[in-house]
Amino acid sequence: MKNLKKCLVVVMMLGTLINYANDKKNTTYVVEGKKVKVEFNAVKKGNKLTIRDSYDVIIFSQEIENSGNYSKIFNLSNLLKGDYTAELEKDFEIVIKNFSVLEGKVSFNGEKRVFKPVIRTEKNKVLISKIDFNKEPLKVALYFNGEVIYSETVKDNSNVLNRVYKLSKEERGNYTVVINTNDRNYVQNFNF
């Protein structure tokens, strides 16, 4: 039964990956000297678009209101010289487009995808799955009523990471899982 559940999670995550791989290319291009048109295909209502500078300061943030294709023209004339990212946060992944502003010109430096960890709870177990083709370390910390009860850094050579943590049946209360990977934190609170 445990193996069946693990297989289902892996199949769901791989299905999502294949589905996104079949999408048309998301595009970004310059409309006028300081204006940029950003497009993403296959967005869903509730996805979030964020533009950040190199110091991780949010310059623009918007929740997508309609499913389908997304297109918006941004006026970048007020941006200082530097590096920026346009990030579309989806259910299981984040699409990141890097761009630079130099002397009023915008240049794009590629696109990458970061897959978010999937955190599930089942009775007294915490199940964590993550697809990561770059095989980045994954730091996991479990908290009980605000105090760390377990932490580890997982380094795995496979593209799919699966972990199961068993909680004490006697320790009931508020739990928090904090995962740090790909320079991002993911937090999930739950009660057991």
Side-chain angles (χ1 to χ4, degrees):
M1 187 68 170
K2 290 180 186 178
N3 289 337
L4 177 63
K5 289 179 184 178
K6 285 182 184 179
C7 287
L8 286 174
V9 170
V10 171
V11 168
M12 287 177 16
M13 290 177 72
L14 289 175
T16 301
L17 172 65
I18 291 167
N19 185 33
Y20 287 123
N22 290 331
D23 286 344
K24 294 178 185 174
K25 269 288 204 199
N26 296 315
T27 59
T28 309
Y29 55 90
V30 177
V31 176
E32 294 175 12
K34 295 184 179 185
K35 292 185 179 179
V36 172
K37 184 176 184 180
V38 176
E39 293 180 335
F40 289 98
N41 296 316
V43 299
K44 291 183 183 176
K45 181 178 180 178
N47 289 166
K48 187 175 180 182
L49 176 66
T50 306
I51 296 179
R52 301 174 188 267
D53 67 10
S54 60
Y55 301 104
D56 210 28
V57 174
I58 296 174
I59 295 171
F60 174 83
S61 182
Q62 177 185 29
E63 188 171 296
I64 305 296
E65 296 177 1
N66 299 308
S67 296
N69 294 331
Y70 174 86
S71 177
K72 183 169 181 80
I73 296 176
F74 291 93
N75 183 346
L76 304 177
S77 61
N78 292 328
L79 289 182
L80 299 175
K81 175 178 89 172
D83 297 322
Y84 298 87
T85 59
E87 303 177 1
L88 179 67
E89 186 171 342
K90 296 183 170 188
D91 295 333
F92 297 106
E93 73 173 335
I94 302 170
V95 180
I96 303 167
K97 296 181 180 202
N98 298 304
F99 65 96
S100 299
V101 175
L102 180 62
E103 297 176 5
K105 301 210 185 251
V106 179
S107 59
F108 290 90
N109 310 319
E111 174 181 303
K112 70 177 184 177
R113 295 174 186 266
V114 174
F115 292 94
K116 296 161 58 173
V118 176
I119 305 167
R120 294 185 312 119
T121 58
E122 192 175 286
K123 295 184 182 178
N124 67 323
K125 294 179 185 161
V126 178
L127 301 96
I128 299 173
S129 298
K130 178 154 180 359
I131 295 174
D132 191 351
F133 297 113
N134 296 324
K135 301 172 184 163
E136 293 286 326
L138 183 99
K139 295 178 183 174
V140 179
L142 291 168
Y143 294 81
F144 174 66
N145 291 332
E147 294 194 28
V148 176
I149 59 171
Y150 182 78
S151 67
E152 74 171 322
T153 300
V154 181
K155 295 178 184 176
D156 199 331
N157 289 329
S158 66
N159 293 332
V160 179
L161 174 82
N162 289 303
R163 279 291 211 246
V164 177
Y165 301 94
K166 189 173 182 180
L167 306 173
S168 169
K169 290 183 179 180
E170 287 79 39
E171 299 291 330
R172 296 192 176 267
N174 299 316
Y175 286 87
T176 302
V177 178
V178 178
I179 296 175
N180 178 281
T181 186
N182 303 104
D183 297 322
R184 296 174 186 276
N185 287 319
Y186 303 91
V187 179
Q188 183 166 322
N189 298 308
F190 65 97
N191 292 316
F192 163 71

